[in-house]
Amino acid sequence: MEQLVIGFWGCYFGATALMLAASAFAFRHSVRRIARNSAVSALASAFFVLAFLGGLPIEDADTLARLLAHIASVVSALLAYMLFSVLGVLRQAATRRRTSLALAVLAGGVMGVGWLLPPLQALALGAAMACLLGAEALFLTLCSAVRGERLARVAVAGLCFMLVALIGLSWIALDRAHVPWQVHAVSAVAGTAYLASMASVLWLRYFYLFELKEVLAHGPGYDPVTRMRTHAETGNMVAAAFKLYHDDPVPLGMIVVTIANLYTLEKLYGLAAVNHALFVCAGRLRRTMPGHVDMGRLGEDGFLLLQYNCRDSGALIQLARRVQAHLSKSVALNTGFDAHVLEHQQKQRTRWAADVGVGVLRVSKADARSASAVAKGRGMARTAWSYPSRVAWFDEKSGEIVAMPVIRPS
């Protein structure tokens, strides 16, 4: 049974590592608030769990119990403050001051009273304080959920899992020698679910910061549908790339994607379906592209991808094939604008797959011009609609457009 217990808690600490990796990603992209809150939440929760599982190097049982009482008080107050902040309860400075002061006084008072009690009773008091703060946070989020806040609904589930994990960990710390392995299993699963819920809450709460970062970077050149550069901004991107290319002639890789059936989709289902289709295609592009590839919209039905220092044409072609495969997968599209219907996922849907054409060329001639290269890539992408592979490559040696062969799965 010990191996099962280790496996369950291993999943929890694995989820903690994933949350820390996501924090590092957010920090790298200059979204410091997400990075700070998620990292502190993950580390504080993991330290709490590690301490209550007996992971601290303290042999004396009484000393360990008193230390765990302090850890329960401090960590629960910290996590409660962060949760209130994420839920928007602490928007006003006066409320933040009162809440932080109240939590500090509560934690200090519980620790002080704990010294008047035997070690195990002090630990029980600290664990009770943690459960009390969790219950209070659950009550506040339930009130917010009743008012219809989507963020609070996710937080309610997370706090329920947290309370289950807290009760289980308190049992483990108070009766370590006799606790059943099922308590470890339930606590570990609940703790993992709590981390997943809190990660979702943080993402929903601060996702707008990613959007804001892009808006500030591109200004009016930011397209809210695809969250990419607009067609005009893409032209500026290409012009800057070709200026750099003429200063330092290192080959440029260019991939142009066009979608043949957007016009038909609009006539059949309206603009909402087209916007959803573009939104999905742009999201798939972002997930497919490596970090060194720049992206932007091209016209009403396409995208342009630009790769600097493109010395390997084979890798560029493979990237184009991957783009075509990912964008051609079917998706269930929204066909209405009703916000209430969208919110409750009861909208009318239709299955749709993008008819994608991909044009691929590598710019390596000294006299290459941006406008002619983009026009050539767009023409190749439209020509690729008639190819079985839907991918067209410009062969520099022959000066001809070549259809890429279809790769059959082995």
Side-chain angles (χ1 to χ4, degrees):
M1 294 304 176
E2 184 178 353
Q3 291 182 344
L4 278 175
V5 169
I6 293 173
F8 278 112
W9 285 114
C11 290
Y12 170 82
F13 287 108
T16 302
L18 286 176
M19 195 167 178
L20 289 174
S23 302
F25 174 82
F27 187 86
R28 181 184 175 187
H29 286 74
S30 301
V31 190
R32 305 294 173 83
R33 190 184 301 179
I34 297 177
R36 182 185 65 247
N37 287 349
S38 59
V40 171
S41 296
L43 288 173
S45 301
F47 178 70
F48 184 96
V49 170
L50 182 66
F52 270 63
L53 289 177
L56 298 180
I58 298 176
E59 298 295 334
D60 184 68
D62 289 346
T63 304
L64 179 61
R66 290 202 179 278
L67 180 59
L68 291 181
H70 294 343
I71 290 174
S73 301
V74 174
V75 172
S76 61
L78 174 63
L79 291 178
Y81 180 86
M82 294 190 62
L83 181 64
F84 295 153
S85 176
V86 170
L87 292 175
V89 178
L90 308 180
R91 290 192 179 97
Q92 298 180 354
T95 305
R96 286 196 300 272
R97 287 194 299 270
R98 287 196 301 268
T99 302
S100 58
L101 179 61
L103 290 173
V105 169
L106 178 62
V110 168
M111 288 189 289
V113 172
W115 281 101
L116 304 176
L117 302 173
L120 283 181
Q121 292 184 16
L123 173 56
L125 180 63
M129 171 193 162
C131 292
L132 177 65
L133 287 177
E136 181 182 359
L138 179 60
F139 174 76
L140 291 176
T141 51
L142 277 172
C143 293
S144 298
V146 169
R147 290 194 297 268
E149 295 184 18
R150 184 179 59 172
L151 189 68
R153 298 172 191 171
V154 182
V156 165
L159 287 170
C160 290
F161 288 124
M162 184 196 71
L163 285 173
V164 172
L166 270 177
I167 294 170
L169 286 167
S170 301
W171 186 355
I172 292 168
L174 290 168
D175 191 16
R176 200 177 307 279
H178 303 98
V179 67
W181 70 268
Q182 290 90 343
V183 175
H184 282 277
V186 172
S187 302
V189 171
T192 305
Y194 162 72
L195 282 182
S197 301
M198 289 302 102
S200 301
V201 168
L202 285 168
W203 177 255
L204 291 171
R205 177 69 174 86
Y206 296 123
F207 175 72
Y208 79 95
L209 292 175
F210 284 102
E211 294 284 292
L212 179 60
K213 182 174 179 290
E214 293 296 322
V215 170
L216 293 176
H218 301 297
Y222 178 74
D223 175 30
V225 175
T226 60
R227 293 176 291 164
M228 288 183 176
R229 296 173 174 91
T230 61
H231 176 71
E233 183 67 17
T234 300
N236 295 333
M237 175 189 76
V238 174
F242 271 79
K243 183 179 184 302
L244 182 64
Y245 168 76
H246 289 139
D247 294 338
D248 182 16
V250 179
L252 284 171
M254 186 177 291
I255 299 176
V256 177
V257 180
T258 57
I259 304 172
N261 52 348
L262 284 179
Y263 178 78
T264 304
L265 181 67
E266 182 178 3
K267 293 302 179 184
L268 289 174
Y269 298 106
L271 186 60
V274 173
N275 288 337
H276 191 189
L278 287 170
F279 177 84
V280 170
C281 289
R284 289 174 175 175
L285 269 180
R286 278 190 295 273
R287 291 189 294 272
T288 305
M289 286 301 102
H292 59 274
V293 176
D294 286 341
M295 298 175 288
R297 288 195 68 174
L298 189 62
E300 298 297 325
D301 61 350
F303 305 92
L304 185 140
L305 316 174
L306 200 61
Q307 179 179 340
Y308 300 91
N309 195 14
C310 180
R311 300 185 184 275
D312 186 359
S313 58
L316 186 66
I317 293 172
Q318 289 303 317
L319 181 60
R321 289 184 183 277
R322 196 157 66 245
V323 166
Q324 191 278 329
H326 284 203
L327 266 63
S328 298
K329 295 177 182 177
S330 66
V331 62
L333 295 180
N334 304 328
T335 58
F337 288 104
D338 191 340
H340 176 77
V341 172
L342 291 175
E343 176 72 20
H344 291 84
Q345 299 295 313
Q346 297 172 346
K347 48 195 170 290
Q348 182 181 357
R349 288 177 173 267
T350 182
R351 300 298 303 184
W352 177 83
D355 188 3
V356 176
V358 181
V360 190
L361 68 154
R362 196 176 67 138
V363 179
S364 59
K365 293 184 178 180
D367 60 347
R369 294 292 179 265
S370 59
S372 59
V374 172
K376 183 185 295 183
R378 191 172 179 83
M380 290 167 56
R382 292 177 177 272
T383 302
W385 291 341
S386 61
Y387 295 160
S389 66
R390 295 296 198 274
V391 179
W393 163 254
F394 182 73
D395 188 357
E396 294 177 287
K397 293 182 179 179
S398 64
E400 296 179 349
I401 298 174
V402 178
M404 289 289 99
V406 177
I407 298 180
R408 302 293 181 186
S410 56

